[in-house]
C-alpha cells in the first residue's frame, strides 16, 4: 500500500511532523514529591462574550529526574509518554531560578 502523505510532502517530513512534542513554560508551584514537580502554566484567553482578556491557569505534574527544580523556578516542560497516573510531562530546562 502506498505511503499516505500530504501533497508535496516526503515521508521524512511526515515523520518529523508526527514527532513534534508540545512544550510549555511555567512556574513551579510545588516540589514536595520525589522526582516530580507541579508546574502552573498560565495562558491569556478572551472572554467568549465580552472579549476581556482572562488568565487561565493549568497545573501539570512533570518529571524532574535530578530534583533540581525548586518552588518559584520558571521551567520548560515537554510532553512525554505517561510516567504515572497524572504525570505526562518532563522538565527539560530551568529557564530562571527563583530569587
Amino acid at each position: 500500500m502506498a505511503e499516505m502523505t500530504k501533497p508535496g510532502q516526503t515521508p521524512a517530513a511526515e515523520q518529523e511532523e508526527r514527532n513534534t512534542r508540545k512544550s510549555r513554560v511555567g512556574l513551579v508551584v510545588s516540589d514536595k514529591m520525589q522526582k516530580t514537580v507541579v508546574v502552573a502554566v498560565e495562558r491569556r484567553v478572551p472572554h467568549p462574550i465580552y472579549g476581556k482578556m482572562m488568565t487561565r491557569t493549568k497545573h501539570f505534574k512533570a518529571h524532574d529526574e535530578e530534583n533540581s527544580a525548586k518552588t518559584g523556578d520558571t521551567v520548560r516542560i515537554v510532553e512525554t509518554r505517561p510516567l504515572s497516573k497524572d504525570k505526562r510531562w518532563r522538565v527539560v530546562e530551568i529557564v530562571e531560578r527563583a530569587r
Side-chain angles (χ1 to χ4, degrees):
M1 194 165 165
E3 291 282 332
M4 297 295 290
T5 59
K6 295 178 184 171
Q9 190 176 23
T10 63
E14 178 185 302
Q15 184 75 14
E16 183 66 32
E17 179 181 306
R18 197 165 56 89
N19 288 340
T20 55
R21 295 184 172 174
K22 294 176 190 166
S23 175
R24 304 279 185 265
V25 175
L27 189 70
V28 176
V29 292
S30 172
D31 61 347
K32 301 283 189 218
M33 295 168 274
Q34 295 175 10
K35 296 190 176 184
T36 304
V37 292
V38 179
V39 180
V41 176
E42 288 187 347
R43 61 191 181 94
R44 292 175 51 77
V45 294
H47 187 278
I49 296 170
Y50 302 113
K52 181 177 178 178
M53 295 304 278
M54 306 180 300
T55 303
R56 291 282 172 243
T57 305
K58 185 156 174 92
H59 291 86
F60 296 100
K61 287 195 177 110
H63 185 69
D64 181 19
E65 186 63 41
E66 293 90 35
N67 270 335
S68 54
K70 300 298 175 203
T71 304
D73 292 350
T74 303
V75 295
R76 177 170 283 110
I77 58 176
V78 69
E79 199 174 34
T80 186
R81 65 185 175 83
L83 299 170
S84 71
K85 178 185 166 195
D86 298 322
K87 211 164 36 164
R88 276 105 174 95
W89 297 80
R90 67 183 157 83
V91 176
V92 177
E93 68 168 322
I94 299 172
V95 178
E96 186 180 346
R97 289 273 181 198
R99 294 183 200 149

